[in-house]
Amino acid sequence: MVEAPATEEGWFALHDFRSIDWDAWREAPEHERDRAIEEGESFLRHRELLADADAGDSAVFSVLGHKADLLMVHFRPTLDDLSSIERRFEDTALGAFTERETSYVSVTEVSGYVSDDYFTGDEDDVDEGLRRYIEGKMKPEIPDDEYVSFYPMSKRRGEEYNWYDLSFEDRADLMAGHGEVGREYAGRIKQVIASSVGFDDHEWGVTLFAADPTDIKDIVYEMRFDEASSRYGEFGDFYVGRRFPPADLGAYLAGAKVPASAHPDDEGSHSHDEGGHGGSAHGHGGSAHGDHPHGEGGHGGSGDHPHGEDGHGESGDDHHGDSGDADGEAEDGDAGIRGELADLDIYAGKPHGEDVYATVLYSEADVDALFDEVEGLRGNFDHYGSHVKTAVYEGRATDRAAVVSIWETASAAETAGGFLSELPGVVARAGEESGFGTMGMFYTTKSEHREDFVETFDDVGELLGEMEGHFETDLMVNVENDDDMFIASQWRSKEDAMAFFRSDEFGETVRFGREVLADRPRHVFLA
């Protein structure tokens, strides 16, 4: 009997191809289209953020041609995870406007063609580089903002050429030659090969990602001349598309180009309807920022969205510089991100002079357990180019820790806050213990002056204790970097806090900080 190669499996994959019922879409009332966009965007965004699993990846692509309009790709640890995703999409208002053209189920794998040692040798003898390569094949990440080509394939079992009649050695030699062609496209093509033996009509599903779509054409064309394909390859239909962020769903349905390339804050980068929403005839969509899945015009949806139906992302501009001079006025009302996060017991604000947004919450959970939870979420956040930083800080004067998450857009900070609010031991503070909160973020000390900074803070703390309207201040330290700190303060009002920021003592502290800090401090007001 001919020897079959050993295999090891990783994540299960679902390629879900959908067509839009454009007649139904055009005839639907605007409020139904709005709801479909909101729920579709929420579904796609939460799949990308892995709201349903501890591991995996998801993405949505626009498909060219008549075969489909949308392709949703999901990688998850189990088939049950994929089954749940299918049913949850059907439960959205967007699902009612789509028809499934086809789908493909498979599981990522590596085989004995890659390395005999990996399957038969001592585990300690396997090269670490090979181990990382295999791990990447079994648990792939979907590249951001890339073109995609998907096609199924099988090995021929004809009378003249039968792949399964070849010896293992002959098959291994052919696969090695096939791989040589693929290595010529390293850095330009990323491929995910998943086995569908017993799962679907062909034997493998191949997904190619590239920044330049002609690279996809070139590698497929060149491989057709390789013997492993020319004699033994049989292919199904090919599909080609382009990844876009969920925030662009409304723009896509309105006929705009996606992914949108303009920064959401750029004036004139997109059209506006009377309702003040950009990029879509139905008041949704807007521009995307890089590979960010939310955009600036993020809306809350129903279904599994954590913020309800009125989630708009904005932030006030209260801020002060190094000297403590204040400028800007706070935005009032629930339109701001701070109002949106109030129900989640989270503070949020915007650093002075920077187009980034902060979400901060406090937890009384064990700091080590909290860090483990945050580290898992941070790995998911790092998929997005708009994620700046997420870290855990431990208090010195209080028995709580802080989770700080920084993003380039308000709506991204809003969505991240929804996930962070589910961390253990979160305590309610927004608007309940004081009328005004401030946070001096990213005080990065020079290591040799760390203790000097801490001692100076303790001296300032004594002064703060005597200030009218001051409730509490703590110096919090990054559990991963002792030189990274921030100061969290609670005040009766903004005016009380500003009295301190304008004081001579605070000015002296700022001047001292220039000597002991590795970078200028950046401050944020939190309401």
Side-chain angles (χ1 to χ4, degrees), residues 203-520:
E203 295 168 345
W204 290 274
V206 180
T207 313
L208 304 177
F209 303 96
D212 185 345
T214 61
D215 284 333
I216 294 174
K217 178 194 74 70
D218 290 344
I219 190 174
V220 174
Y221 187 58
E222 188 170 349
M223 283 188 166
R224 288 293 176 94
F225 289 90
D226 181 76
E227 187 177 357
S229 291
S230 64
R231 289 190 177 184
Y232 300 101
E234 294 181 339
F235 302 88
D237 290 340
F238 280 69
Y239 298 81
V240 64
R242 179 77 185 274
R243 184 174 185 178
F244 68 90
D248 282 351
L249 177 62
Y252 169 79
L253 292 168
K257 289 184 178 180
V258 292
S261 58
H263 191 286
D265 291 334
D266 291 343
E267 291 295 331
S269 63
H270 47 70
S271 62
H272 295 266
D273 59 16
E274 292 181 358
H277 301 285
S280 170
H282 309 297
H284 292 271
S287 306
H289 177 42
D291 64 341
H292 175 46
H294 312 291
E296 190 78 0
H299 299 262
S302 56
D304 59 359
H305 194 288
H307 305 295
E309 296 183 354
D310 299 318
H312 299 273
E314 281 296 331
S315 177
D317 291 328
D318 293 331
H319 51 270
H320 65 85
D322 288 3
S323 64
D325 295 334
D327 43 67
E329 293 295 326
E331 281 189 4
D332 294 325
D334 291 338
I337 184 174
R338 291 169 300 180
E340 287 300 314
L341 296 180
D343 291 339
L344 299 173
D345 304 322
I346 298 171
Y347 293 119
K350 182 178 179 181
H352 171 58
E354 297 179 59
D355 190 18
V356 294
Y357 296 78
T359 291
V360 179
L361 58 84
Y362 298 98
S363 170
E364 295 179 347
D366 176 77
V367 69
D368 292 331
L370 180 66
F371 176 78
D372 289 342
E373 295 282 347
V374 171
E375 192 171 29
L377 285 172
R378 183 169 61 186
N380 298 335
F381 293 163
D382 284 341
H383 285 291
Y384 305 109
S386 56
H387 179 229
V388 177
K389 175 179 181 177
T390 297
V392 176
Y393 293 76
E394 187 170 14
R396 294 174 64 249
T398 59
D399 294 329
R400 65 175 180 232
V403 180
V404 177
S405 192
I406 311 299
W407 296 78
E408 291 180 354
T409 65
S411 55
E414 171 196 343
T415 300
F419 292 103
L420 293 171
S421 67
E422 298 177 2
L423 290 168
V426 171
V427 293
R429 294 186 57 82
E432 294 187 1
E433 293 188 354
S434 69
F436 187 74
T438 72
M439 183 180 66
M441 194 182 303
F442 301 136
Y443 285 82
T444 305
T445 65
K446 299 174 183 177
S447 296
E448 63 272 23
H449 293 299
R450 182 192 308 124
E451 294 303 321
D452 296 331
F453 180 81
V454 172
E455 290 177 5
T456 300
F457 167 80
D458 290 339
D459 293 338
V460 173
E462 296 180 4
L463 172 66
L464 286 170
E466 302 172 359
M467 296 289 295
E468 183 177 357
H470 173 259
F471 294 143
E472 182 180 82
T473 293
D474 194 8
L475 179 65
M476 312 199 80
V477 182
N478 190 331
V479 299
E480 298 173 273
N481 178 5
D482 290 343
D483 294 330
D484 178 14
M485 311 177 194
F486 77 81
I487 299 172
S489 294
Q490 297 300 316
W491 299 82
R492 179 178 58 197
S493 68
K494 175 181 176 180
E495 290 71 25
D496 291 326
M498 293 311 303
F500 169 69
F501 293 138
R502 294 191 182 101
S503 68
D504 292 339
E505 288 83 358
F506 181 76
E508 292 174 3
T509 302
V510 169
R511 287 189 289 274
F512 167 75
R514 294 194 181 103
E515 301 175 4
V516 302
L517 296 179
D519 195 4
R520 64 181 289 184

Side-chain angles (χ1 to χ4, degrees), residues 18-19 36 39-40 89-100:
R18 300 275 173 158
S19 287
E39 293 189 13
F89 178 75
E90 296 292 355
D91 196 40
T92 66
L94 178 63
F97 287 99
T98 69
E99 297 179 1
R100 172 176 274 171

Side-chain angles (χ1 to χ4, degrees), residues 138-251:
M138 292 195 296
K139 299 179 180 180
E141 292 185 0
I142 302 173
D144 297 313
D145 196 19
E146 301 282 345
Y147 289 93
V148 66
S149 175
F150 173 80
Y151 58 93
M153 64 166 293
S154 297
K155 292 299 186 183
R156 184 167 294 134
R157 292 184 292 172
E159 294 182 4
E160 182 177 4
Y161 297 113
N162 187 334
W163 177 262
Y164 297 96
D165 279 343
L166 298 177
S167 68
F168 177 84
E169 290 75 15
D170 288 342
R171 282 181 275 123
D173 288 343
L174 287 169
M175 292 303 296
H178 203 62
E180 289 294 332
V181 177
R183 278 189 285 274
E184 295 176 8
Y185 291 83
R188 290 183 289 161
I189 293 283
K190 178 176 180 178
Q191 66 176 4
V192 176
I193 300 176
S195 173
S196 49
V197 175
F199 292 163
D200 222 308
D201 294 342
H202 287 73
E203 295 168 345
W204 290 274
V206 180
T207 313
L208 304 177
F209 303 96
D212 185 345
T214 61
D215 284 333
I216 294 174
K217 178 194 74 70
D218 290 344
I219 190 174
V220 174
Y221 187 58
E222 188 170 349
M223 283 188 166
R224 288 293 176 94
F225 289 90
D226 181 76
E227 187 177 357
S229 291
S230 64
R231 289 190 177 184
Y232 300 101
E234 294 181 339
F235 302 88
D237 290 340
F238 280 69
Y239 298 81
V240 64
R242 179 77 185 274
R243 184 174 185 178
F244 68 90
D248 282 351
L249 177 62

Side-chain angles (χ1 to χ4, degrees), residues 27-151:
E27 294 170 1
E30 184 171 349
H31 69 89
E32 290 186 12
R33 296 196 299 267
D34 288 347
R35 181 186 174 200
I37 292 171
E38 290 179 359
E39 293 189 13
E41 180 183 331
S42 176
F43 170 86
L44 295 169
R45 181 170 63 243
H46 284 76
R47 300 296 78 72
E48 289 194 0
L49 284 173
L50 299 182
D52 58 345
D54 295 330
D57 207 353
S58 290
V60 61
F61 302 82
S62 61
V63 179
L64 283 75
H66 72 285
K67 300 172 187 173
D69 294 312
L70 295 173
L71 163 62
M72 293 176 286
V73 178
H74 307 287
F75 297 116
R76 291 295 186 273
T78 71
L79 280 173
D80 290 342
D81 293 331
L82 297 180
S83 176
S84 176
I85 288 174
E86 282 187 295
R87 287 179 276 112
R88 294 184 78 168
F89 178 75
E90 296 292 355
D91 196 40
T92 66
L94 178 63
F97 287 99
T98 69
E99 297 179 1
R100 172 176 274 171
E101 294 296 338
T102 189
S103 63
Y104 207 83
V105 179
S106 55
V107 61
T108 60
E109 72 169 11
V110 293
S111 70
Y113 301 131
V114 176
S115 170
D116 288 336
D117 290 340
Y118 183 80
F119 291 94
T120 63
D122 190 325
E123 183 175 342
D124 295 334
D125 294 335
V126 178
D127 178 77
E128 183 60 29
L130 175 62
R131 192 187 307 280
R132 287 197 299 269
Y133 168 80
I134 290 175
E135 181 76 8
K137 290 294 184 183
M138 292 195 296
K139 299 179 180 180
E141 292 185 0
I142 302 173
D144 297 313
D145 196 19
E146 301 282 345
Y147 289 93
V148 66
S149 175
F150 173 80
Y151 58 93

